[in-house]
Amino acid sequence: QVEGNPTGQVLWDIHASSGDISLRVPSTANFELYARTSSGSIETRHPMTIVGKLRRGELRAVLNRAEARVEVHTSSGDIRID
């Protein structure tokens, strides 16, 4: 589990080779998200703007404004953004 508020021109690079990833951020956070799972699902509780095309196991989206960048990847597991 990762918790915080990505701000400014920062990069959060979160990877797991196996297992679920839980990311907790405030609804006021400003970031661009790139989430990918080879075998699992992606779920977010925040209303986000989808960027590009939706693909199985992949989500590109923006929460509020694209200031920071958050990349989340797991080979085998679910990704949850709360």
Side-chain angles (χ1 to χ4, degrees):
Q1 179 174 338
V2 177
E3 185 172 347
N5 187 4
T7 59
Q9 299 295 316
V10 300
L11 168 64
W12 283 16
D13 194 8
I14 304 160
H15 291 267
S17 58
S18 178
D20 298 343
I21 296 175
S22 176
L23 176 62
R24 299 190 63 179
V25 296
S27 60
T28 56
N30 298 300
F31 63 89
E32 178 181 4
L33 171 71
Y34 175 48
R36 184 170 44 120
T37 177
S38 301
S39 175
S41 63
I42 302 170
E43 179 181 333
T44 178
R45 301 275 180 187
H46 296 289
M48 301 182 90
T49 303
I50 304 297
V51 177
K53 296 181 180 181
L54 285 175
R55 297 183 182 163
R56 178 172 160 68
E58 184 176 301
L59 175 63
R60 292 178 186 263
V62 173
L63 179 60
N64 300 315
R65 295 184 312 272
E67 292 180 0
R69 182 170 173 88
V70 176
E71 297 184 7
V72 184
H73 175 257
T74 180
S75 296
S76 178
D78 298 331
I79 297 172
R80 181 179 172 116
I81 298 104
D82 289 317

